Amino acid sequence: MSMTDTRRQRSEVTLDTATIEVIAEIEADVIATGRPTRAHVTWTKADTGLWAANYGGYYGGVVDKQGDHYFVSDTFGQYVGDFRTLEEAQDRLATRLHQLLPDVISTLD
């Protein structure tokens, strides 16, 4: 997917999807005075080998340990991936939530 900005008469800019995603992440990380920050992920150990994510007060998904692997599914039940460490699995889900739900803001502000 690409977008073309043709609002200016003298120039045309074409951006690929990866570039648009990078720009969106940069914009999300910029915190202006008075502007709320994006939500943080907090974790609860729901059971042995099962961690549940809370994303700004919403259910964010789970990390499920099966053997030596950590399987991740997001807030919509979509498979995110299979990871070798809990930290890697949790980081990947946090990144996914920031992308899927950019309008969810921190409830701590």
Side-chain angles (χ1 to χ4, degrees):
M1 178 178 142
S2 66
M3 289 180 46
T4 303
D5 182 356
T6 57
R7 290 180 274 178
R8 295 183 183 183
Q9 294 177 350
R10 294 184 184 166
S11 66
E12 183 176 299
V13 177
T14 301
L15 301 174
D16 61 301
T17 303
T19 302
I20 293 169
E21 290 174 357
V22 168
I23 291 169
E25 272 191 26
I26 292 169
E27 288 178 344
D29 288 337
V30 174
I31 302 169
T33 305
R35 182 175 166 201
T37 61
R38 69 183 184 182
H40 298 283
V41 178
T42 56
W43 294 95
T44 303
K45 189 168 184 178
D47 202 353
T48 303
L50 184 67
W51 294 264
N54 179 310
Y55 185 65
Y58 297 95
Y59 169 73
V62 294
V63 174
D64 184 10
K65 183 177 183 189
Q66 297 293 323
D68 293 334
H69 297 271
Y70 296 85
F71 295 93
V72 179
S73 59
D74 67 20
T75 188
F76 301 110
Q78 297 278 324
Y79 175 74
V80 175
D82 171 7
F83 303 93
R84 296 206 180 264
T85 68
L86 176 60
E87 293 78 19
E88 185 181 13
Q90 289 176 330
D91 288 345
R92 188 63 159 113
L93 181 56
T95 299
R96 173 77 166 246
L97 291 171
H98 294 317
Q99 293 170 348
L100 285 176
L101 305 169
D103 295 334
V104 176
I105 58 171
S106 177
T107 56
L108 301 175
D109 293 340

